[in-house]
Amino acid sequence: MAARRAVSAVHARRIASCDEWPRASGIQRQDPHCLGKSPVIKDGDVVVQEIPTNESRYLCETCDGEARLLPRETKARAKVREFMAAAEATFMLHALAILYARWRLPERAADCLPEMEKGLSSNVHNDFAWLEHELAASSDNFLVGGHLTAADIIMGFSIEFIFARKLGTERDGRWPRIQHWLDRIRDEPSYKKAVERTGYKL
């Protein structure tokens, strides 16, 4: 349930940030749909469900007239989408395997959990090593284009969640570029405003 509440909160944060755009005034956040994983957004007769990157892409494409969060230029747009997809289909996928093991492993097998987590953590370590490499290639400490984009927003939540739950990341200081990048995102005025408005926390 904690994971579901966190996902719900981050969606609220995205909506709160988005409503600074004039186009966003009619978009509403609604309760989770039947699977109960995350909220949906309703824009007139359009209902966008379930997948956070799907909802975020819709908000970018319909509200961000300047295309700052999801660039129009082909190479930059593809790179932003790569990070958005990796945030959920790679980083969260590997991290949640550890979380679900903690939640669901039978009590009689509890002694096996440390070894299981150690094995599952290797995927998280590989993911973080890739992101460290990507950040090393960036001179401005944003993932794409020298400014905040949807790549930073979506990936930022996944990394924040993984650090908060210590899902393969128990050794502090192992990924200094990632930590510095995450701190920079948290220092963005728009992030602080959205957190204040929604009460978002992990």
Side-chain angles (χ1 to χ4, degrees):
M1 290 304 296
R4 293 182 183 181
R5 286 195 297 270
V7 171
S8 179
V10 81
H11 275 280
R13 184 178 71 185
R14 291 171 185 151
I15 299 296
S17 298
C18 182
D19 68 13
E20 296 179 2
W21 302 327
R23 169 67 180 80
S25 60
I27 296 179
Q28 301 174 349
R29 176 180 175 270
Q30 297 189 336
D31 291 334
H33 80 354
C34 59
L35 292 181
K37 297 292 186 180
S38 60
V40 302
I41 56 175
K42 189 173 187 297
D43 182 15
D45 60 353
V46 176
V47 177
V48 185
Q49 297 188 13
E50 188 56 26
I51 304 173
T53 52
N54 188 38
E55 294 179 349
S56 300
R57 185 181 299 174
Y58 180 82
L59 291 173
C60 291
E61 291 177 344
T62 57
C63 301
D64 183 14
E66 297 180 359
R68 286 183 58 81
L69 296 183
L70 189 59
R72 293 189 182 94
E73 192 273 321
T74 302
K75 184 176 180 180
R77 189 180 186 88
K79 196 65 178 176
V80 168
R81 285 181 167 176
E82 176 186 338
F83 283 116
M84 291 173 73
E88 293 188 342
T90 302
F91 284 74
M92 287 296 276
L93 181 68
H94 291 153
L96 287 175
I98 300 172
L99 187 64
Y100 292 158
R102 292 176 185 173
W103 285 354
R104 301 299 183 185
L105 197 67
E107 185 68 28
R108 62 182 179 276
D111 290 344
C112 300
L113 184 59
E115 188 65 25
M116 180 178 290
E117 285 202 26
K118 182 179 179 181
L120 293 171
S121 294
S122 61
N123 285 327
V124 177
H125 297 167
N126 289 338
D127 300 340
F128 273 55
W130 172 72
L131 187 57
E132 276 279 308
H133 175 77
E134 291 290 321
L135 287 167
S138 172
S139 60
D140 44 46
N141 208 44
F142 287 112
L143 292 176
V144 181
H147 59 83
L148 186 75
T149 66
D152 300 289
I153 295 170
I154 305 303
M155 183 65 79
F157 170 70
S158 293
I159 299 302
E160 197 171 28
F161 183 86
I162 292 167
F163 275 144
R165 297 294 183 269
K166 297 187 181 299
L167 302 175
T169 58
E170 290 80 1
R171 290 172 56 185
D172 293 335
R174 185 169 179 176
W175 297 281
R177 291 188 179 91
I178 293 176
Q179 188 61 66
H180 180 67
W181 161 78
L182 186 60
D183 289 342
R184 180 167 182 175
I185 293 173
R186 289 168 170 166
D187 199 44
E188 286 285 309
S190 58
Y191 178 96
K192 292 179 178 179
K193 180 179 178 180
V195 169
E196 181 181 354
R197 292 184 61 180
T198 63
Y200 164 74
K201 64 180 180 179
L202 287 176

